Amino acid sequence: MKEKTIDYMLRSTWQAVSRMYNEEASKYDGSMAIGFALLSIDKEEGTPSSYISNRMGMEPTSLTRTLKTLEEKGLIIRKKNPEDGRGVLVYLTKLGKEKRELSKQTVLKFNETIKNNLTEEKLNHFMEVSETINDLITEKKIF
């Protein structure tokens, strides 16, 4: 393509971010999906699994695989929801809390670095453009 399209820039940027997070997470026997899942779980109260999938934008079947991996790595435990026997609450283990903190620091460092390399005006424009794209898609105003 002679000119880069908006969707190309979004896709290539997200792929670069994803690669970067996966490279960093691999140093700690993790992945980006594991890190984001850990960040979606409340540190103390536990979190319904349905909330995690909604927050991460994942299909329930994909989340099931991720939760199984988290459980196998000793990062979470699952318990029946005492208020709704059909539901499951996900709790972080001690190791899960440690890995969650690593994930949090990684995300904060990424954000800090980006903010330090952009003017506030450029960052505000980026946020506005991103919100507009999301709104147009949500409101089905493109197709």
Side-chain angles (χ1 to χ4, degrees):
M1 261 185 202
K2 258 187 175 177
E3 293 181 34
K4 294 178 180 170
T5 60
I6 295 165
D7 68 317
Y8 171 85
M9 291 303 297
L10 289 170
R11 190 174 53 252
S12 64
T13 301
W14 177 246
Q15 287 172 344
V17 169
S18 179
R19 258 191 321 275
M20 175 200 67
Y21 276 138
N22 277 315
E23 284 175 19
E24 187 63 20
S26 70
K27 296 174 185 174
Y28 306 98
D29 190 34
S31 68
M32 183 181 76
I34 288 172
F36 281 130
L38 292 172
L39 290 169
S40 299
I41 301 168
D42 186 275
K43 287 189 297 191
E44 305 303 328
E45 303 297 318
T47 304
S49 57
S50 57
Y51 175 81
I52 300 168
S53 64
N54 289 341
R55 183 143 189 241
M56 293 181 65
M58 290 178 96
E59 293 296 322
T61 51
S62 297
L63 179 66
T64 300
R65 284 191 301 271
T66 300
L67 292 178
K68 184 178 180 198
T69 300
L70 292 172
E71 206 165 29
E72 288 169 353
K73 291 179 176 284
L75 302 172
I76 64 162
I77 54 171
R78 292 188 258 191
K79 297 179 183 176
K80 283 197 179 278
N81 186 337
E83 296 174 18
D84 177 4
R86 298 168 297 165
V88 173
L89 291 176
V90 179
Y91 294 87
L92 295 170
T93 63
K94 183 179 181 213
L95 179 61
K97 289 177 183 179
E98 291 170 9
K99 298 284 187 173
R100 183 186 190 281
E101 186 58 30
L102 274 171
S103 298
K104 179 181 172 183
Q105 292 308 315
T106 301
V107 170
L108 290 174
K109 181 173 168 89
F110 170 79
N111 278 274
E112 180 185 331
T113 303
I114 298 303
K115 286 179 180 181
N116 288 338
N117 284 276
L118 290 175
T119 65
E120 189 173 342
E121 182 183 19
K122 283 184 178 183
L123 190 57
N124 287 337
H125 286 309
F126 172 77
M127 295 298 194
E128 289 170 13
V129 169
S130 297
E131 285 178 24
T132 300
I133 291 169
N134 279 318
D135 289 346
L136 290 169
I137 292 168
T138 301
E139 296 167 11
K140 300 192 182 301
K141 291 187 174 179
I142 296 177
F143 301 112

